[in-house]
Amino acid sequence: MTAGKAPPPRAARRAADVAYDRLESMIATLQLAPGSAVAEAELSARIGLGRTPVREALLRMVAAGLIRQEPRRGLRVATIELAEHLNVLHTRRVLDQLISGAAARRATPLQRDAILTHAARMRVAADEGDLDLYMAADQALDAVCHEACRNVSAVNAVAPLVIQCRRFWYAYRHEGDLMAGACQHGLMAEGIATGDAVVAQLGADALMDYLEAFTRKVIDA
């Protein structure tokens, strides 16, 4: 290998990860509407990346169920299925308990501080009724918790479920209570920050309880 030259595969993976993150944000915030057609060239232009990393990101999203590949219709953003969303939450509950407990045991001091900071930002955003700021803080909190747990398999499994939950919030935010969600996140964050796996898991469980109640409210509306 030539000195000073970055390996092409590594660079390609970084570009694909950036593409995935940008497309994930567009799906979660409904910039890519549920059921809408997905055009690789258009997305490449919108996010400012080449078609190869965009194609790789889309393939990952198909595997995660965020994008559907339909016969004769091509790629489409997955629709929001209300009843199925309850199954998403049931699955996420198990994974979040695993992740929060592991994060409480394994997080570094810097990660514990960051987790408390992001949870506090969620409360501020909730108090101001700023959904975009709330979701940005929520995403940052998840990122640190996922890194802190040191369980790649659990993180890979929960990641698409978290995106679906964020999208559900954006779609039905008129039925939600940001402060209730922030409080549950805060309990989980406190448990992780203090190294108390039991409290962290109780917080994760309480958050899923709230999200399930929120989903049932939407279904019954």
Side-chain angles (χ1 to χ4, degrees):
M1 184 186 302
T2 304
K5 185 176 181 180
R10 185 178 178 84
R13 282 198 300 272
R14 283 201 300 270
D17 288 342
V18 171
Y20 187 93
D21 289 345
R22 292 180 184 175
L23 293 176
E24 169 196 305
S25 179
M26 292 170 71
I27 289 174
T29 58
L30 305 180
Q31 295 176 60
L32 291 176
S36 63
V38 174
E40 184 182 294
E42 179 186 344
L43 290 179
S44 178
R46 286 180 68 177
I47 67 175
L49 289 170
R51 295 182 66 167
T52 298
V54 168
R55 184 179 304 119
E56 183 177 333
L58 289 174
L59 288 173
R60 286 170 58 189
M61 289 185 161
V62 169
L66 298 169
I67 300 288
R68 306 289 188 195
Q69 190 161 22
E70 301 180 357
R72 296 182 298 278
R73 299 185 71 192
L75 298 178
R76 290 187 175 271
V77 179
T79 56
I80 298 175
E81 304 292 340
L82 294 184
E84 179 59 27
H85 194 69
L86 290 172
N87 289 329
V88 168
L89 294 175
H90 295 161
T91 306
R92 184 180 166 185
R93 182 187 294 271
V94 176
L95 292 168
D96 273 13
Q97 285 220 348
L98 175 63
I99 289 168
S100 59
R105 292 187 295 271
R106 299 170 177 171
T108 66
L110 286 177
Q111 287 170 334
R112 296 182 199 277
D113 288 343
I115 284 167
L116 287 177
T117 296
H118 295 316
R121 286 176 57 216
M122 290 184 73
R123 290 185 68 94
V124 170
D127 190 54
E128 296 176 354
D130 189 330
L131 180 61
D132 289 334
L133 181 60
Y134 179 94
M135 288 299 183
D138 179 33
Q139 188 170 7
L141 175 61
D142 282 342
V144 180
C145 290
H146 291 172
E147 181 181 359
C149 82
R150 303 182 197 178
N151 186 328
V152 175
S153 296
V155 170
N156 287 342
V158 84
L161 308 182
V162 172
I163 299 169
Q164 291 184 54
C165 288
R166 288 202 183 100
R167 182 172 69 155
F168 194 90
W169 256 104
Y170 269 94
Y172 300 103
R173 54 189 175 273
H174 57 283
E175 299 284 359
D177 183 341
L178 290 182
M179 187 54 73
C183 288
Q184 310 305 347
H185 279 90
L187 177 61
M188 181 183 70
E190 185 67 27
I192 294 173
T194 59
D196 191 328
V198 173
V199 172
Q201 290 173 324
L202 285 173
D205 216 31
L207 175 60
M208 291 303 106
D209 286 343
Y210 172 69
L211 292 179
E212 185 172 334
F214 168 52
T215 301
R216 292 188 184 280
K217 183 179 179 181
V218 171
I219 291 173
D220 294 340

